Amino acid sequence: MLHKRIIGVIAVENGWAVQSFGYRHTLPLGKPEWLAENLDRWGADEIIIIDFGRSRKGLGPDMDLIHRLGALGLTTPITYGGGIATVEQVVAVIQAGVERVCIDSLLQDNPELVISIARQVGAQAIVAVFPVSLSGHNLEWYNHRKCTVNTVNLSALALLSQGYISEALVVDWQHEGQPGGFNPALIEQFSNQVPGVPLLLYGG
């Protein structure tokens, strides 16, 4: 069953909010704080900040941006993803006022570390990001740092089934930035892999 829950996603690159097209091309939109304030005022249920540039460059989380968002006094919960690679970084982000963290690159590189993160901050604070596409009936996972597509890691899916991650953000990366383009078949295929796991949908 699909439940309506409106989550605003702000893609960030080099400190600026951008419109991303398939993780490959971007158009600048302004300061992330401006978009976050608008989403808060419009009554979004949650705001997700995804700074994919941090992971591409091997940088840690943008703590300055996180502190600036915290100073706005927003009532909407904030989830942050970008550059997170260690348990210590997750703890720092949560302590700075972010409610949850998104993990993508870490999940691809070191899925076992997610268990330590869940034990430290709780599974409810972890959202897994899966930029995926379909090859026939098989799910394929896009690595935005290397611009490669691989089979979805079964170890990562097992973490969802075992309760170490609260939700999965399923991204139709091929249709990201295109209106009305989300492929509904991704929902069925992902749900078949991890039945019962809550899914958030993004892209197109």
Side-chain angles (χ1 to χ4, degrees):
M1 179 182 295
L2 296 178
H3 298 277
K4 290 184 179 179
R5 185 163 149 226
I6 306 301
I7 298 174
V9 179
I10 303 174
V12 176
E13 189 168 40
N14 298 323
W16 292 92
V18 296
Q19 171 68 63
S20 174
F21 299 91
Y23 281 73
R24 293 174 177 171
H25 307 289
T26 59
L27 290 175
L29 298 177
K31 292 184 177 181
E33 300 96 304
W34 299 344
L35 274 69
E37 286 181 314
N38 285 336
L39 289 168
D40 183 64
R41 184 167 58 251
W42 295 337
D45 296 302
E46 184 176 356
I47 299 171
I48 296 178
I49 309 291
I50 298 182
D51 192 336
F52 48 77
R54 306 293 290 189
S55 296
R56 285 177 181 170
K57 297 176 182 178
L59 302 174
D62 189 343
M63 298 304 297
D64 182 59
L65 171 59
I66 291 169
H67 288 301
R68 293 202 310 271
L69 290 168
L72 295 176
L74 306 178
T75 59
T76 307
I78 299 289
T79 296
Y80 176 87
I84 294 173
T86 68
V87 176
E88 292 75 17
Q89 288 173 340
V90 171
V91 172
V93 169
I94 296 294
Q95 288 179 341
V98 169
E99 185 157 313
R100 305 199 293 172
V101 295
C102 282
I103 54 173
D104 177 359
S105 298
L106 182 150
L107 196 59
Q108 296 191 30
D109 296 341
N110 191 4
E112 294 79 11
L113 186 61
V114 176
I115 297 175
S116 298
I117 294 173
R119 289 172 176 166
Q120 186 74 27
V121 300
Q124 78 286 345
I126 306 172
V127 178
V129 181
F130 286 91
V132 290
S133 56
L134 284 177
S135 176
H137 295 290
N138 298 317
L139 280 174
E140 295 190 328
W141 199 358
Y142 181 65
N143 185 320
H144 68 86
R145 295 165 298 163
K146 301 177 181 179
C147 296
T148 57
V149 177
N150 303 288
T151 302
V152 175
N153 190 323
L154 295 179
S155 297
L157 294 178
L159 292 169
L160 284 163
S161 301
Q162 294 164 4
Y164 290 108
I165 298 170
S166 63
E167 295 178 314
L169 176 61
V170 179
V171 182
D172 184 350
W173 71 271
Q174 292 181 318
H175 296 113
E176 187 199 20
Q178 301 179 26
F182 189 91
N183 183 358
L186 292 173
I187 304 171
E188 179 180 359
Q189 292 300 324
F190 208 96
S191 296
N192 289 339
Q193 295 277 355
V194 282
V197 174
L199 304 181
L200 309 177
L201 310 178
Y202 175 68

